[in-house]
Amino acid sequence: MNYEAIIVGGGVAGASLSLLLGQAGMKICLLDKENPSSIKQNDFFKGKTASLNLNSIDLLKKMGIWEKISKTSKDFTNIEVWDSEGSSVVTFDAKEISECRLGKIAHNNNLLKSIFDLLGELPNVDLLEHESVLSLNEGLESIEIQTDSGLNLEAQLIVGADGSMSSIRSLSSIPIRTWSYEQTAIVSLLESELPINETAYQIFTATGPIALLPVRVEEEDLISLIWSADKVYANKLFFLESSEFLKELELKTESKLGRFKLREEISSFPLHQLHAIKYFSKRTVLVGDSAHTIHPLAGQGLNLGLADVIDLSERILLLRREGRDIADEKMLKAYSDSREKVNLRMMAMMEAFKRGFASTNPWLKLGRNIAFSFTNETKFLKKKFIKEAAGIT
Ligand SMILES: Cc1cc2nc3c(=O)[nH]c(=O)nc-3n(C[C@H](O)[C@H](O)[C@H](O)COP(=O)(O)OP(=O)(O)OC[C@H]3O[C@@H](n4cnc5c(N)ncnc54)[C@H](O)[C@@H]3O)c2cc1C
């Protein structure tokens, strides 16, 4: 047997799982169709950001990358949510759950760089880049893969961490439920006239939610913009002159942070929701976006993926310590059942938010305002929301 596990997909979820299993001494192969290990210094602070909850932060500590990440990421201690169609605002403060922060905003590229640096030090982890899996052959005690460059590799377990369009999920014939949000996320980095401090803003508009998150870029405090907008409107925004784009943003955010300046070219990501009917099949198992892809409106996608990684790695390592098959069906089913429950709950919540706020029905608008005021004034409900956002269960 070449490997104990082959992990397909070196995004944050797959790379984290490889690191945890590799640090425990397992013989691992991490395979990616791109070359995620070669992120350049200039790209550290580009592209997607992630609001890491306290659970994800604990994982980064366990992997040994927290010290590095904490220096280059930014605390958020408050979340302020408002509805541009109404006057209500809800604020969530870390103090209300006796914590010093609700989480940290980090750059995905920076996370990846730190993880790959440590992976490079592990002789028991092989990294294969610019490789894709063409086929899977299930055996009784192992599984074999063929790659597009003609490699044949064998392992006890294959992990699909290859994102939303997962090839491992398709090759394992794991069915999914999926639907498009008919929205695109416009992402960029901004400078603002007024300081954002440690507050994450979420503004619900009729054409989609806008998130303004505090980020640190080389000692400078900036803002990560994630503007999820209906497709046609997003397309219009994408092709606006920068000054027009910023004017539109200032209008939608009610100039809460004054005037903005663009610090990075805008990029866009199509948004859809996807959920695998189950997270395993024989000797393959899914983690992260390959199992569940959700709307970025509450910044929970990666947090859910990292929670999968924690759960699965603990179960694999327990079986390994007991000298048992790490692709044991009962274990994979228990993992799938436990993670599905949590992920589906979050997806249902995101869907309700997305639909509720997209509606222009006056009764729904009134309901939203009442719900906002009620939430803001009801201590136990607020605490529940804050704990959910911070990843405390
Ligand atoms: C605009 C936006 C903002 C977001 N903000 C947040 C946030 O604030 N907080 C949060 O928690 N989440 C956020 N998310 C979600 C988060 O980015 C994703 O959940 C997360 O990146 C998924 O990680 P992953 O490792 O599972 O998959 P991916 O990041 O998609 O990685 C998949 C990897 O697999 C590789 N791959 C793909 N196909 C193949 C193949 N066939 N063979 C081999 N390799 C393959 C890819 O090259 C890639 O390296 C956001 C998402 C978007 C779109």
Side-chain angles (χ1 to χ4, degrees):
M1 184 110 47
N2 301 97
Y3 297 103
E4 293 181 77
I6 298 173
I7 295 164
V8 180
V12 181
S16 300
L17 184 62
S18 304
L19 185 56
L20 282 175
L21 300 183
Q23 286 172 332
M26 280 180 71
K27 181 98 178 95
I28 300 292
C29 173
L30 172 59
L31 182 154
D32 200 288
K33 68 171 182 172
E34 311 286 344
N35 55 339
S37 71
S38 61
I39 294 164
K40 307 273 178 312
Q41 183 109 24
N42 286 350
D43 294 329
F44 278 11
F45 302 106
K46 285 190 180 155
K48 278 196 255 174
T49 52
S51 45
L52 299 168
N53 65 25
L54 303 179
N55 207 22
S56 298
I57 291 174
D58 282 346
L59 174 66
L60 303 193
K61 285 182 185 162
K62 193 172 169 192
M63 293 192 299
I65 64 165
W66 176 241
E67 224 175 285
K68 229 171 171 183
I69 296 298
S70 82
K71 282 188 199 136
T72 50
S73 55
K74 174 95 182 161
D75 275 346
F76 67 103
T77 53
N78 303 283
I79 303 178
E80 193 171 315
V81 185
W82 82 88
D83 177 6
S84 71
E85 300 281 313
S87 52
S88 312
V89 175
V90 193
T91 51
F92 302 107
D93 191 326
K95 284 190 208 119
E96 291 174 74
I97 54 164
S98 312
E99 292 283 347
C100 59
R101 64 169 87 95
L102 292 175
K104 282 258 190 188
I105 317 279
H107 292 259
N108 280 27
N109 280 346
N110 210 356
L111 286 171
L112 281 173
K113 172 71 181 149
S114 304
I115 298 170
F116 276 98
D117 280 352
L118 290 190
L119 279 172
E121 293 171 9
L122 295 176
N124 49 323
V125 177
D126 288 344
L127 180 60
L128 292 180
E129 296 187 293
H130 298 300
E131 286 280 3
S132 302
V133 178
L134 286 186
S135 63
L136 300 175
N137 290 317
E138 296 271 357
L140 220 52
E141 290 179 356
S142 66
I143 179 166
E144 211 179 81
I145 61 165
Q146 286 76 43
T147 72
D148 54 355
S149 74
L151 292 173
N152 286 307
L153 304 171
E154 196 188 6
Q156 286 178 53
L157 180 69
I158 305 288
V159 181
D162 48 348
S164 198
M165 310 303 283
S166 171
S167 64
I168 296 302
R169 194 183 59 222
S170 317
L171 290 168
S172 310
S173 306
I174 297 177
I176 52 167
R177 265 190 227 109
T178 183
W179 61 98
S180 165
Y181 286 118
E182 299 300 327
Q183 282 192 341
T184 301
I186 305 259
V187 172
S188 191
L189 199 60
L190 306 169
E191 192 181 319
S192 61
E193 191 179 9
L194 303 172
I196 187 163
N197 298 321
E198 292 181 341
T199 303
Y201 290 93
Q202 185 74 253
I203 305 113
F204 287 97
T205 78
T207 48
I210 302 172
L212 298 171
L213 310 175
V215 280
R216 178 150 297 152
V217 177
E218 289 164 345
E219 309 297 316
E220 205 182 350
D221 286 337
L222 297 175
I223 294 171
S224 168
L225 165 73
I226 302 159
W227 188 346
S228 308
D230 295 342
K231 267 184 181 167
V232 176
Y233 178 55
N235 196 43
K236 182 186 139 199
L237 288 173
F238 195 78
F239 290 106
L240 282 178
E241 287 289 326
S242 305
S243 57
E244 293 303 311
F245 174 84
L246 292 174
K247 253 192 224 157
E248 186 78 4
L249 181 62
E250 281 152 24
L251 190 75
K252 293 282 184 191
T253 55
E254 299 165 23
S255 297
K256 188 95 174 176
L257 294 171
R259 304 197 63 181
F260 293 115
K261 252 193 216 166
L262 274 180
R263 293 290 299 268
E264 178 186 279
E265 259 183 48
I266 58 175
S267 46
S268 67
F269 300 87
L271 297 177
H272 62 277
Q273 177 142 293
L274 174 154
H275 192 253
I277 303 293
K278 57 177 187 163
Y279 294 179
F280 74 104
S281 167
K282 295 181 186 156
R283 288 186 174 272
T284 57
V285 62
L286 306 176
V287 293
D289 272 26
S290 69
H292 44 79
T293 306
I294 71 169
H295 198 288
L297 73 82
Q300 291 299 326
L302 185 60
N303 288 315
L304 295 181
L306 291 178
D308 295 347
V309 165
I310 297 170
D311 186 317
L312 183 64
S313 61
E314 284 172 358
R315 291 177 198 271
I316 289 176
L317 292 174
L318 179 67
L319 288 184
R320 186 173 181 265
R321 274 198 300 276
E322 291 172 352
R324 292 169 55 200
D325 183 0
I326 59 163
D328 175 72
E329 192 184 344
K330 267 198 199 135
M331 179 281 274
L332 294 179
K333 184 169 182 331
Y335 157 75
S336 179
D337 290 349
S338 92
R339 291 307 306 150
E340 250 177 64
K341 220 186 292 162
V342 182
N343 295 334
L344 277 173
R345 195 181 68 212
M346 182 62 77
M347 290 176 99
M349 214 155 85
M350 292 308 100
E351 194 58 23
F353 269 118
K354 158 82 185 55
R355 282 171 196 257
F357 283 97
S359 175
T360 49
N361 177 317
W363 290 107
L364 259 180
K365 277 170 39 181
L366 177 67
R368 273 181 345 221
N369 275 330
I370 294 170
F372 261 66
S373 311
F374 183 70
T375 306
N376 213 26
E377 283 155 24
T378 311
K379 269 195 177 159
F380 94 91
L381 197 59
K382 264 188 98 176
K383 268 194 181 171
K384 200 169 153 39
F385 273 122
I386 302 173
K387 285 189 169 174
E388 194 80 46
I392 302 168
T393 44

